[in-house]
Amino acid sequence: DAGITQSPRHKVTETGTPVTLRCHQTENHRYMYWYRQDPGHGLRLIHYSYGVKDTDKGEVSDGYSVSRSKTEDFLLTLESATSSQTSVYFCAIRGSGGDSNGYTFGSGTRLTVV
Amino acid sequence: AQSVTQLGSHVSVSEGALVLLRCNYSSSVPPYLFWYVQYPNQGLQLLLKYTSAATLVKGINGFEAEFKKSETSFHLTKPSAHMSDAAEYFCAVSYALNFGNEKLTFGTGTRLTIIP
């Protein structure tokens, strides 16, 4: 999607290794989110950010950490990857305008942990 | 806490037939409600959103949804299905967090199949 890029698009990693996924935006939006998508669960929030260095946990944050050192980048790290973290990960951004208007989702990162 | 329930993980309709995808919400305050569509191997695209301005909301690709407070529902409809409508559809509700933030809570999704 325009204005938001996720990298890598696909990754295969081994159990126990650390993995970092990157979300980059060019919209200067304040709010950024990481979700994971799994069959039968829809999308579930992992972590979110409401500004540089301001982050908080979502509903499925165990085993994940995040960092946001600048407005445009929001990094998701799997500290020690497990097979249960095989999933599709989506980043989303939102501006500060009212009425919940401006969520934009990235194209996703498909992560396989073997 | 706000949540949404999508009834039916899979729905099949014939081309040209009515599409009806069901969503019920749970919210202690007037919610913002959304429908998103996901085509294979793609991200989520906003179909439409309800933000209290009007109960009947029209979206892209001929879809619309009606907010019914008495039924706590926000069902998605389209009068005539096209083959291109085959996708997964997600209902979502937003609610406030801290510092002016909010988050989307998603339903589990409904996969729509169109029968030629």
Side-chain angles (χ1 to χ4, degrees):
Chain A
D1 283 291
I4 179 171
T5 306
Q6 291 184 235
S7 59
R9 291 296 312 277
H10 302 271
K11 185 170 181 67
V12 179
T13 193
E14 293 185 349
T15 298
T17 61
V19 177
T20 296
L21 309 183
R22 181 185 185 225
C23 179
H24 178 77
Q25 60 145 329
T26 58
E27 305 295 323
N28 200 35
H29 283 343
R30 178 180 179 184
Y31 304 105
M32 300 185 75
Y33 307 80
W34 276 108
Y35 286 88
R36 61 177 289 174
Q37 182 181 18
D38 303 288
H41 292 277
L43 280 79
R44 293 177 291 173
L45 183 66
I46 306 171
H47 281 278
Y48 64 96
S49 171
Y50 47 94
V52 173
K53 299 190 188 302
D54 292 325
T55 65
D56 206 346
K57 297 179 180 180
E59 58 188 300
V60 290
S61 59
D62 287 348
Y64 301 94
S65 63
V66 291
S67 66
R68 192 166 178 202
S69 59
K70 46 187 177 178
T71 298
E72 57 266 36
D73 288 326
F74 192 32
L75 304 180
L76 176 70
T77 298
L78 288 65
E79 295 144 6
S80 177
T82 67
S83 58
S84 64
Q85 293 175 311
T86 292
S87 186
V88 181
Y89 292 86
F90 286 99
C91 178
I93 59 176
R94 185 177 70 86
S96 301
D99 86 354
S100 297
N101 188 41
Y103 290 92
T104 302
F105 285 82
S107 299
T109 294
R110 185 174 296 275
L111 177 68
T112 302
V113 183
V114 299
Chain B
Q2 280 80 344
S3 65
V4 291
T5 302
Q6 291 185 243
L7 302 176
S9 58
H10 292 85
V11 171
S12 296
V13 301
S14 297
E15 189 175 15
L18 171 72
V19 175
L20 171 60
L21 305 182
R22 300 178 185 274
C23 174
N24 287 89
Y25 70 90
S26 171
S27 174
S28 57
V29 297
Y32 292 151
L33 292 160
F34 304 78
W35 276 100
Y36 284 87
V37 61
Q38 185 181 35
Y39 298 102
N41 299 313
Q42 295 188 24
L44 277 73
Q45 180 181 3
L46 180 66
L47 274 178
L48 50 81
K49 65 181 187 289
Y50 167 74
T51 57
S52 77
T55 56
L56 182 62
V57 182
K58 294 186 183 298
I60 62 171
N61 302 338
F63 285 93
E64 63 182 37
E66 185 172 9
F67 174 74
K68 292 187 176 180
K69 185 177 179 180
S70 61
E71 299 177 6
T72 62
S73 69
F74 190 58
H75 302 331
L76 182 70
T77 60
K78 182 174 181 178
S80 177
H82 295 171
M83 296 300 296
S84 60
D85 294 327
E88 189 153 22
Y89 293 80
F90 293 95
C91 183
V93 61
S94 72
Y95 71 95
L97 295 168
N98 52 5
F99 304 101
N101 201 1
E102 60 181 65
K103 76 162 196 177
L104 286 179
T105 297
F106 288 88
T108 53
T110 298
R111 184 168 299 279
L112 177 65
T113 300
I114 310 299
I115 304 166

